[in-house]
Amino acid sequence: MIYTNFTPGPSQLYFTVSDHARLAFKEGIPSLSHRSKQFEKISKETTGGLRALLNIPEGFHLFFTSSATEIWERTIENLVAEKSFHLVNGSFSKRFYEIAIQLNKKAEKLDVKEGLGFEEGIVAPKDAELIAVTHNETSTGVSLPLSIIHSFKKNNPDALVAVDAVSSLPYPQFDFSTVDCVFFSVQKGFGLPAGLGVWIVNQRCIEKAEALNKKGISIGSYHNIPSLLSHALKNQTPETPNVLGIFLLNKVVQDFLRKGIDNIRRETEYKATLLYQALEHHKLISPFVKDKNYQSKTVIVADCQEHTEKLTKFLSEKGVNPGDGYGSFKKTQLRFANFPAHSKEQYELLVDSLSAFEG
Amino acid sequence: MIYTNFTPGPSQLYFTVSDHARLAFKEGIPSLSHRSKQFEKISKETTGGLRALLNIPEGFHLFFTSSATEIWERTIENLVAEKSFHLVNGSFSKRFYEIAIQLNKKAEKLDVKEGLGFEEGIVAPKDAELIAVTHNETSTGVSLPLSIIHSFKKNNPDALVAVDAVSSLPYPQFDFSTVDCVFFSVQKGFGLPAGLGVWIVNQRCIEKAEALNKKGISIGSYHNIPSLLSHALKNQTPETPNVLGIFLLNKVVQDFLRKGIDNIRRETEYKATLLYQALEHHKLISPFVKDKNYQSKTVIVADCQEHTEKLTKFLSEKGVNPGDGYGSFKKTQLRFANFPAHSKEQYELLVDSLSAFEG
């Protein structure tokens, strides 16, 4: 039986990836020097493709890191002298906050219960230099409406806004005039092997990092923003990066561009609608996130209670591998990624299988 | 024509890697959760294989990072409160020193000219907490005799000894009773795609990191030693790692074990002898490192002066891709990696081609 991996990351590979990997080995990409013209060309195509796909304006720079976890750390190191402010509504937004504490910052947070989101009109502490927000809580399936993220600047014009878009991109179209940095890792929505993160920063981030550096605050070394920037301007990286990962990202971004971001968004919405409808009409299971405004389109969480184990087995027999619930929800929830790698047909199979489950 | 890549990293892939990569995609490794039993098994096999290959004693732990560059940073963050001491004899040992300065430590260094090494009897400043040494200077082809590295503890019993073995492992057999941490990245001697570093640390390193943490000194977040350790004890990693890279490392380590480390070392020495003899007898070019005790077995640098460009072209026509000289030596030197991925036959072709060059 062919299994489809609905875990929210690492997830199903995009269907072209194994062919691209074969080509990479044929062309000697894994041996390619990261100081070669050929690497610079691949790097430039990748960032150019991402700019086109996500509609990233001039004035923003794209940096390659090893993971989004790394970007949590680099964001705090480079953009916060003393205080960051975190919207916490699940395990991943909480981890971002904890990293700030580990880095000896005076981080503050606004907590809401798992399964809930935040409303417009949030005012951060006056001395918060950064507002850190997780667009899509992979742990609970709560996605913040973009209008909320885009509204932060209104009440907090001096704070930088950092958006963790790990399990939502390429789906959301951010208004980049209202945010300062956005980041993701490639093993979720881009359907790629793990080991690469992308950090998108604007001029205000660069100036902030330079200001901290001037004050004698450590902003890290090889992956601080000035070092990343000086190399990115040459389409290079400070260290020997995951060259194969960057090559594969480029190929998938080109595939996405050919398919068209509008198509990808439409299909994402179609598949999400299918699954939420099935969950809402089901006798035994239901969507964990009740408020439709906060229901994630890309990570859909089903509240399955005592049926969880049996449902997992039932789905597995149909070729559907769901993701476990996260943390304390491991035995009562299932999570379903809805990424571009998941085809409409696979979603139809998932929904048919779910609907056929009678306990 | 089939080209052999003699650049010292990223270098020639070990000949089994592309088959292992094909298997990885077939088995769904790039989609594998880093919290799954299957990942833990791969991770455990990899560290177990490295322990056997490099004869790493109990009491040492192995951590996966994204690069050796990252390990420079993590070593300073976790093992130095105030002062590190660096033996600098080329661009990479210098970079290690500079990272300590960037991280606001009071780093000191002992400098010698490029092409030279250090002698036994080095005494570090009394307050140096760490002695940082680069076993094999990839920039110049200077390798320190192991006896020198093993002697540090005698005069400096209280300092930790950190060994950058990036372009020498798996060749050297370190005496782990005289060093505290050793590290490498996989795209050099292990013949793998870049994007993974391995950090080997002992109990003293763990205690030092914990002591710094207790004092309120920031030791980083997800990749600090306590976090790496607590995950490594479960054969996991703090973040989603380069799972494919770890899988491939495991496969190549198993290949190396089957071949036998003694065979690998003997072949390395045979190939190095061939090339140094050819360089010494050549009318136009010569080894850059004059003192035989310091001539690297794994990165061999030829002083080619005005013949560099012509020789590069000449070799290229024979299927030999040399590495450029590093930094200011770009136009006067060529570098040749001598890793397990480079077969005896490829070395014989290299040496025959070099010997046939008459300017």
Side-chain angles (χ1 to χ4, degrees), chain B residues 65-77:
Chain B
T65 71
S66 57
S67 64
T69 304
E70 183 188 352
I71 302 174
W72 285 338
E73 184 180 89
R74 303 305 180 192
T75 298
I76 300 297
E77 276 179 344

Side-chain angles (χ1 to χ4, degrees), chain B residues 164-175:
Chain B
D164 174 338
V166 161
S167 56
S168 60
L169 280 175
Y171 174 69
Q173 176 58 62
F174 292 110
D175 173 357

Side-chain angles (χ1 to χ4, degrees), chain A residues 27 32 74 116 129 139 143 180 186 188 274 298 327 352:
Chain A
E27 293 192 346
L32 192 63
R74 303 306 180 191
L116 301 182
E129 298 148 77
S139 64
S143 195
D180 300 290
V186 302
K188 315 243 176 202
L274 271 190
T298 54
D352 289 347

Side-chain angles (χ1 to χ4, degrees), chain B residues 108-354:
Chain B
E108 289 190 22
K109 64 186 161 84
L110 176 64
D111 260 309
V112 298
K113 248 185 87 182
E114 284 152 322
L116 300 182
F118 300 93
E119 294 185 15
E120 280 190 44
I122 284 170
V123 181
K126 258 206 150 138
D127 52 350
E129 298 148 76
L130 180 85
I131 300 177
V133 60
T134 302
H135 174 233
N136 196 69
E137 244 305 342
T138 318
S139 63
T140 61
V142 170
S143 195
L144 299 185
L146 292 182
S147 58
I148 292 173
I149 290 175
H150 296 158
S151 76
F152 291 149
K153 284 278 181 199
K154 220 183 326 176
N155 293 323
N156 313 279
D158 295 332
L160 296 170
V161 174
V163 184
D164 174 338
V166 161
S167 56
S168 60
L169 280 175
Y171 174 69
Q173 176 58 62
F174 292 110
D175 173 357
F176 281 92
S177 72
T178 64
V179 299
D180 299 290
C181 95
V182 175
F183 56 90
F184 64 93
S185 51
V186 302
Q187 76 275 14
K188 314 242 176 204
F190 288 80
L192 285 158
L196 190 65
V198 176
W199 192 13
I200 306 162
V201 307
N202 69 7
Q203 197 56 36
R204 289 185 70 200
C205 295
I206 291 164
E207 285 159 14
K208 177 81 186 192
E210 283 168 350
L212 296 196
N213 199 25
K214 224 174 228 168
K215 273 190 199 163
I217 296 168
S218 172
I219 56 172
S221 63
Y222 72 112
H223 267 187
N224 67 34
I225 286 184
S227 167
L228 284 163
L229 177 66
S230 70
H231 287 86
L233 291 172
K234 299 179 285 183
N235 298 299
Q236 289 193 3
T237 55
E239 83 296 8
T240 314
N242 181 348
V243 176
L244 177 60
I246 295 170
F247 174 89
L248 294 176
L249 174 59
N250 182 34
K251 290 292 180 187
V252 164
V253 166
Q254 305 304 328
D255 292 336
F256 283 5
L257 284 169
R258 264 188 296 275
K259 176 158 185 154
I261 189 70
D262 290 342
N263 266 331
I264 290 173
R265 290 189 176 129
R266 239 187 330 261
E267 282 190 16
T268 303
E269 286 161 8
Y270 167 80
K271 292 181 290 167
T273 303
L274 270 190
L275 182 50
Y276 278 116
Q277 279 181 351
L279 291 176
E280 266 150 26
H281 292 121
H282 206 283
K283 271 186 282 185
L284 305 173
I285 59 179
S286 61
F288 173 60
V289 179
K290 302 304 174 198
D291 186 335
K292 282 194 198 328
N293 285 320
Y294 294 88
Q295 284 179 344
S296 169
K297 299 275 193 290
T298 55
V299 177
I300 297 163
V301 179
D303 193 4
C304 311
Q305 294 302 326
E306 71 273 22
H307 307 291
T308 308
E309 195 182 337
K310 206 166 168 193
L311 177 55
T312 304
K313 196 162 165 275
F314 181 84
L315 291 175
S316 171
E317 283 161 6
K318 313 238 174 218
V320 168
N321 272 348
D324 285 337
Y326 196 86
S328 60
F329 297 114
K330 197 174 161 77
K331 285 178 194 289
T332 58
Q333 298 184 355
L334 291 177
R335 293 180 300 156
F336 299 94
N338 176 23
F339 295 149
H342 299 100
S343 69
K344 285 191 277 187
E345 292 70 24
Q346 288 166 334
Y347 249 72
E348 283 155 4
L349 169 71
L350 162 61
V351 164
D352 289 348
S353 306
L354 271 180

Side-chain angles (χ1 to χ4, degrees), chain A residues 11 31 73-74 104 216 221, chain B residues 11 31 70 73-74 104 216 221:
Chain A
S11 191
S31 294
E73 183 180 90
R74 303 306 180 191
N104 286 344
S221 63
Chain B
S11 191
S31 294
E70 183 188 352
E73 184 180 89
R74 303 305 180 192
N104 287 346
S221 63

Side-chain angles (χ1 to χ4, degrees), chain A residues 141-162:
Chain A
V142 171
S143 195
L144 299 185
L146 292 182
S147 59
I148 292 172
I149 290 174
H150 296 158
S151 75
F152 290 149
K153 284 277 181 200
K154 220 184 323 178
N155 293 324
N156 312 278
D158 294 332
L160 296 170
V161 174

